[in-house]
Amino acid sequence: MKTKDESFGRLLVAVFSIIALTVCIYAVFYNFIYQSINVFVEDTAIIEYGSSNDDVEQFFDKVQGDVVSIKNKVDVHSLGTQEVVVVVAKGAVIKEIPIEIEVRDTVAPIISLVSDTLTVKQGNDLNLLSNVISVIDNVDGEISYVDEALENGAYYTIVSDFNCNVVGDYEVRVLASDSNNNISGVNFTVTVLENEDSTKIVNMAYSLLGSPYILGANGPFAFDCSGFVQYLYSQIGFDLSRGSSTQLYDGKTVSYDDILPGDIISWGYNDDFATHSSLYVGDGKMIHAANNNDGVILSEVLFWENSSSTHIISVRRIR
C-alpha cells in the first residue's frame, strides 16, 4: 500500500516532467521562430555622402518579420562602412540583426565659371584663372588650384594651348578632382582677336617712311628715333616717355620670340642703357628714324643688329 508521501512525490515528478517538456517544446519553437527572422539587404547598400535620405529600409530586399526599430542611425557625414542594427519581431520573438551600410562620395566637384566665352586682343595678357568663380566639393569644400594635375587628392587645374600672341580660338578645360577621385571638367573658349591698335600703328609707321631725321623732333613731319615711336603711340592714345633710355621701361617686357607688330625694340651698346628705339612691324622688320642720312626707314632687324654695333636689350609691349 502506497503512502501519501510516495503518491505526492510521484505527482511532483510528473508535474516537473510536464513543465520540463513544455519548456523544451517552447525553446524549440522559440528557436525556430528566432531563426526564421531575417533581413535580406541589397548587395549595393550605399548612401551618398551628405544625403538627406538616410533611411536604411530602402535597401531591404526582403524582411522576414516586422521591423520594430533601427539602432545606430547612419552618419551621412562620415565616409566608410557603418553597422546598424535592425530590430525585427515575429509575435513575441525579437531579433537584432546587424547590417552594413556604406557611406560613399560619388559626387564630383562643381565648377562655376564667369563665362563660357572670352575675347582678348592679340598681345594682351589674360589670366585664365580669372574666369573661374569657384570649385566646390561636397566633402572637401573649396578646392585650390594647382599648375598640373595630381595623381590623387583634391585640386583643380587648367589645360589649354592658349597663346595670347596668336590670333584664333582656344579651348580651355578646367579639370577638378576631389580627395575621393571624383573628377569633373568644364570647357570655355577664348578668342584672340587681331589687335586694331597694332594694325593702326604699323600702317601709320609705313605712311611715314621717308620722313627726315632731326634730333629732338617728334613729328609730325620730322623725327628722331624715340620721338618717332612716341609720336606713333600718341596717335592711338598712349602717352610714352620721350627718350630711348626711358622708353626702355615703358610698358612691359616680352621675349623677342613673342614679339608682335607694334612692339618697341630698345637697342643699346650694353644691357643697361638704351640708345635707340624702333617699331617692330612684323616679318622680322622694323621701322625707325635711323639717322640724319636715312631718315625714317624700313630695316631688317637682324641686319640692323649686325651692322649697327648695337643689340636688342629689350622688347617693350605698350598696349
Side-chain angles (χ1 to χ4, degrees):
M1 185 174 181
K2 297 179 181 179
T3 65
K4 290 182 179 180
D5 290 338
E6 289 175 340
S7 297
F8 183 71
R10 290 177 179 177
L11 178 61
L12 285 177
V13 171
V15 170
F16 280 117
S17 296
I18 293 171
I19 292 173
L21 179 60
T22 302
V23 170
C24 288
I25 293 172
Y26 178 79
V28 170
F29 178 76
Y30 182 92
N31 186 65
F32 176 79
I33 299 299
Y34 185 86
Q35 294 299 326
S36 71
I37 297 174
N38 212 339
V39 176
F40 298 93
V41 181
E42 296 177 5
D43 291 336
T44 55
I46 299 170
I47 293 179
E48 182 64 38
Y49 179 93
S51 173
S52 59
N53 182 9
D54 59 357
D55 181 13
V56 299
E57 292 190 50
Q58 64 184 301
F59 303 112
F60 294 172
D61 280 336
K62 182 180 180 181
V63 179
Q64 295 174 324
D66 298 317
V67 176
V68 176
S69 64
I70 297 175
K71 298 180 179 181
N72 306 332
K73 185 177 181 180
V74 176
D75 182 359
V76 296
H77 292 97
S78 179
L79 293 171
T81 301
Q82 302 178 34
E83 185 178 271
V84 299
V85 177
V86 183
V87 181
V88 183
K90 277 188 177 181
V93 182
I94 296 176
K95 185 177 182 180
E96 294 188 352
I97 302 171
I99 63 172
E100 290 186 343
I101 303 293
E102 183 182 358
V103 177
R104 186 183 295 178
D105 172 29
T106 64
V107 178
I110 297 174
I111 303 168
S112 300
L113 301 178
V114 175
S115 176
D116 293 332
T117 57
L118 300 175
T119 58
V120 62
K121 290 184 177 180
Q122 183 184 23
N124 288 354
D125 286 336
L126 175 64
N127 182 358
L128 298 178
L129 283 174
S130 66
N131 195 43
V132 180
I133 298 174
S134 63
V135 181
I136 305 293
D137 183 66
N138 62 333
V139 176
D140 299 303
E142 187 169 355
I143 291 179
S144 299
Y145 172 80
V146 297
D147 290 331
E148 295 183 358
L150 306 175
E151 291 185 3
N152 51 56
Y155 70 90
Y156 82 93
T157 192
I158 289 179
V159 181
S160 178
D161 61 351
F162 169 71
N163 185 344
C164 66
N165 294 317
V166 180
V167 172
D169 294 327
Y170 297 87
E171 185 176 88
V172 181
R173 183 162 181 80
V174 183
L175 183 68
S177 174
D178 64 19
S179 58
N180 294 300
N181 295 320
N182 297 303
I183 296 174
S184 60
V186 297
N187 295 345
F188 64 93
T189 301
V190 179
T191 299
V192 179
L193 303 173
E194 183 178 348
N195 196 316
E196 295 177 356
D197 287 339
S198 299
T199 302
K200 288 178 181 178
I201 202 170
V202 168
N203 290 340
M204 194 183 314
Y206 272 102
S207 73
L208 293 171
L209 287 173
S211 298
Y213 179 100
I214 297 178
L215 183 64
N218 61 347
F221 305 111
F223 309 90
D224 63 12
C225 65
S226 58
F228 177 70
V229 171
Q230 184 193 47
Y231 174 78
L232 291 173
Y233 269 96
S234 71
Q235 299 307 294
I236 60 171
F238 288 87
D239 185 18
L240 260 63
S241 58
R242 178 62 183 85
S244 295
S245 60
T246 55
Q247 287 175 0
L248 175 62
Y249 304 102
D250 287 339
K252 66 177 182 179
T253 302
V254 295
S255 166
Y256 185 77
D257 291 336
D258 295 325
I259 196 169
L260 291 173
D263 289 342
I264 299 171
I265 303 177
S266 293
W267 300 84
Y269 294 97
N270 59 64
D271 292 339
D272 299 324
F273 187 77
T275 59
H276 188 61
S277 296
S278 64
L279 186 83
Y280 184 75
V281 293
D283 297 325
K285 297 179 175 62
M286 66 184 191
I287 295 177
H288 57 133
N291 51 51
N292 287 322
N293 293 328
D294 297 325
V296 176
I297 60 173
L298 176 69
S299 301
E300 294 281 348
V301 174
L302 290 180
F303 174 80
W304 185 262
E305 187 166 30
N306 293 330
S307 63
S308 68
S309 300
T310 60
H311 64 275
I312 298 171
I313 60 177
S314 183
V315 177
R316 311 303 300 181
R317 183 163 296 164
I318 305 302
R319 57 201 179 284

